[in-house]
Amino acid sequence: MEKPLVALDKGTTCSSWNYSGQRLATGSVDGTLAVFDSRDPCSSSLSCTSKSKVHEAAGIVKIAWVPPEYGDAVACVCTDGTLSLWEEVAEDAQPLQWKLCTSFNGGSAQLLDTQFGVSAAGLKMVTAYSDGRVKVYELLDPLELKNWQLQAEFQNVIDSVSTVGPAMCLSASISWNPRRGESQESSFVLGFSSNTPQLNSAKVWEFDQAHQRWLPVAELASPGDNDNQVYAVTWAPNIGRPYEVIAIATHKGISIWHLGLNPDSNGRLSLKKIAVLSGHKGEVWQMEWDMSGMTLATTGNDGSVRLWQSSLNGVWHEEATFEPTSSPEPNPFSRNRESKFYTERRIGSKNRRGGGGIVCGVVVFPIDPWAPSIDSQSIASQLFAASLFPYLGFLYFITKSKSAPKLTLFGFYFLLAFVGATTKVNYGTSLANVDWLHGGAEALLTLTNIFIVLGLRGALRKAEDAEERTSTPIPGLKDETKTSA
């Protein structure tokens, strides 16, 4: 049974979850930025808490959240090519409201994509324009989102000394390396869909700290395919792999690449194409990884959403498909992207579910399909309450068996005090939000463990003493045996 999370206004053109998956920002054709929040932590429903006019004469085509360590802020890209940064602030004891921090003007070129990345040096923002230019900005003061400076400007060509003439780019896609660390240099992958072959292929750019410049370290294209137009790129999270995983979407399908971590003598990283995923009919323009980097969600002009998964031995297969069953009004700004109603079809299974479905909003998967559910606290509390019943059964049988030491048995019963302390009584909030209650509950759990361990320790000592008494010979018994003999 489908459960609507939020009803979006007519004319909504784009949307984006924040990094925790608890807030949703949407942009509309009339230039309005709307932010949705959950008023009840135990509910997954969202309601609009703020509306701001970003532009009076242009619509919003893209929204990107600033990383959470820099506050609640979003970047809005409009149809006239302008980029504005909006931050949620409180001024003079007034309630929180969204204010314009700063704006960027790309001149005559239209801004196609923008993404934020975090490095050891601070926050960076990369932008791609319709004339093929790429600009990288860096934040000067982490406490002031309005203070940015242009760090670099270049073109997406593998030969850093060559340039190309004026280009006409229809779209661009940027994805930062999600890995963070002091030893990790800033890097991102970028691809264009343009009339200039040199710009199109996806290239990995890395910041050279020694020379203070951005260098191309890899070109994700097979020989003969480096002029293919790139529709979408996405960099997978890395949870300990000795290589990076990047997905590239072109008209030939979705290519999965392994990118080495150690550069060669020329400063280039090793590459290996390990899979080509085909199934979409037409252009693929949005891809998202899950947190493990082993499942990829893709969508495009054919209106379907497909889930691809890698096995532990690296073999990729199509796991599921969400197919549209209805199609409301098209999005005027997003290359025929439409809102649709979906049903799920499992690949490789005879059981196909029909009838029910999920509404994915104003575009196909306009929200991050892997965003954490804001209803997780409610589910966790229900599971915690359900676990009490088997534990009570355990107490009944261990008491009836009379096999446990008394102090250990007391410790198991004392655990109920911890359960009582973790129950929401008059606070109406999570246990972790009340410091003294949280600390008291942890202290009770520590006492429980001490009682159980001391009881078992005492029982083991009694067993050892009894064994020693039975194995020690009675004094004089040996002499009496010899005398009688």
Side-chain angles (χ1 to χ4, degrees):
M1 179 179 180
E2 63 271 10
K3 180 182 179 181
L5 295 179
V6 60
L8 302 181
D9 295 337
K10 184 178 180 180
T12 303
T13 55
C14 58
S15 59
S16 176
W17 285 105
N18 70 342
Y19 281 72
S20 66
Q22 296 183 352
R23 310 189 76 184
L24 179 67
T26 65
S28 64
V29 67
D30 62 355
T32 299
L33 169 67
V35 178
F36 295 81
D37 293 276
S38 176
R39 299 184 184 275
D40 183 4
C42 297
S43 173
S44 59
S45 298
L46 300 173
S47 58
C48 183
T49 57
S50 175
K51 283 190 176 182
S52 305
K53 197 69 172 179
V54 172
H55 205 295
E56 294 293 339
I60 303 174
V61 293
K62 182 178 179 61
I63 295 176
W65 283 86
V66 173
E69 52 264 49
Y70 294 91
D72 288 321
V74 296
C76 298
V77 180
C78 295
T79 54
D80 63 348
T82 59
L83 169 64
S84 57
L85 196 60
W86 293 73
E87 183 181 16
E88 188 180 42
V89 295
E91 296 179 349
D92 301 329
Q94 297 294 323
L96 290 172
Q97 53 185 333
W98 289 83
K99 295 286 188 179
L100 175 65
C101 288
T102 186
S103 59
F104 304 81
N105 195 336
S108 59
Q110 181 181 358
L111 181 62
L112 300 178
D113 195 13
T114 184
Q115 293 292 341
F116 294 97
V118 178
S119 67
L123 180 64
K124 298 183 185 297
M125 178 179 66
V126 60
T127 57
Y129 294 87
S130 59
D131 59 0
R133 291 180 298 121
V134 181
K135 293 184 179 181
V136 181
Y137 296 87
E138 60 181 354
L139 184 64
L140 298 178
D141 185 354
L143 300 179
E144 293 289 342
L145 287 177
K146 62 181 180 181
N147 295 330
W148 295 80
Q149 77 172 6
L150 181 64
Q151 183 193 44
E153 182 175 355
F154 50 87
Q155 291 181 314
N156 190 41
V157 292
I158 196 66
D159 186 359
S160 59
V161 298
S162 64
T163 58
V164 297
M168 182 178 295
C169 304
L170 299 178
S171 65
S173 183
I174 305 167
S175 182
W176 281 88
N177 182 352
R179 293 184 66 181
R180 300 182 183 182
E182 295 183 359
S183 60
Q184 188 76 19
E185 297 293 347
S186 301
S187 56
F188 62 88
V189 58
L190 166 67
F192 278 98
S193 174
S194 72
N195 62 350
T196 305
Q198 298 95 314
L199 296 176
N200 288 336
S201 61
K203 302 172 184 69
V204 176
W205 293 85
E206 186 174 285
F207 187 68
D208 182 5
Q209 193 69 34
H211 300 89
Q212 291 292 301
R213 61 177 180 173
W214 289 88
L215 296 176
V217 294
E219 183 178 18
L220 283 71
S222 301
D225 292 340
N226 51 6
D227 59 345
N228 290 338
Q229 295 182 352
V230 174
Y231 302 140
V233 299
T234 180
W235 199 312
N238 193 331
I239 52 175
R241 291 187 298 261
Y243 53 85
E244 301 289 348
V245 179
I246 300 176
I248 309 295
T250 67
H251 72 279
K252 292 187 176 181
I254 303 168
S255 301
I256 307 296
W257 292 83
H258 284 180
L259 179 69
L261 301 180
N262 300 316
D264 58 16
S265 57
N266 296 322
R268 299 296 172 85
L269 300 177
S270 61
L271 282 172
K272 183 180 180 181
K273 183 192 290 187
I274 53 101
V276 177
L277 312 178
S278 59
H280 284 285
K281 299 177 182 178
E283 177 183 342
V284 174
W285 43 256
Q286 186 175 357
M287 302 187 295
E288 294 284 350
W289 291 99
D290 71 339
M291 297 179 65
S292 68
M294 297 183 66
T295 303
L296 178 67
T298 62
T299 187
N301 285 343
D302 62 357
S304 65
V305 177
R306 300 178 186 271
L307 301 183
W308 312 86
Q309 195 169 62
S310 172
S311 61
L312 294 178
N313 58 1
V315 178
W316 284 84
H317 64 278
E318 188 175 351
E319 179 68 18
T321 299
F322 295 88
E323 297 176 340
T325 59
S326 64
S327 177
E329 297 181 5
N331 185 334
F333 296 144
S334 303
R335 292 179 290 174
N336 297 326
R337 303 180 189 184
E338 302 172 353
S339 59
K340 299 178 185 295
F341 188 81
Y342 290 87
T343 57
E344 180 185 7
R345 176 171 60 86
R346 287 283 174 178
I347 305 300
S349 173
K350 295 182 179 180
N351 181 21
R352 297 188 179 185
R353 290 186 285 175
I358 55 175
V359 178
C360 291
V362 296
V363 296
V364 184
F365 261 180
I367 54 181
D368 183 359
W370 310 116
S373 171
I374 61 176
D375 202 24
S376 58
Q377 291 184 353
S378 176
I379 297 175
S381 61
Q382 294 175 17
L383 292 175
F384 182 78
S387 66
L388 182 61
F389 295 100
Y391 186 73
L392 292 176
F394 163 75
L395 291 179
Y396 171 77
F397 286 107
I398 196 173
T399 304
K400 187 177 180 181
S401 66
K402 299 181 180 180
S403 59
K406 292 183 178 180
L407 188 57
T408 298
L409 187 62
F410 174 77
F412 284 128
Y413 275 96
F414 193 77
L415 183 62
L416 295 177
F418 167 77
V419 175
T422 56
T423 305
K424 297 178 183 179
V425 184
N426 297 321
Y427 293 94
T429 183
S430 299
L431 177 69
N433 295 335
V434 185
D435 292 338
W436 72 267
L437 185 59
H438 190 192
E442 293 298 330
L444 292 176
L445 185 59
T446 302
L447 288 175
T448 297
N449 294 332
I450 292 175
F451 290 145
I452 294 174
V453 171
L454 290 179
L456 293 175
R457 180 172 175 266
L460 289 174
R461 285 191 170 184
K462 287 182 179 180
E464 290 176 355
D465 293 341
E467 184 178 355
E468 289 180 358
R469 286 195 297 269
T470 56
S471 61
T472 302
I474 300 175
L477 179 61
K478 186 175 181 180
D479 296 338
E480 292 179 1
T481 304
K482 289 182 178 180
T483 303
S484 61

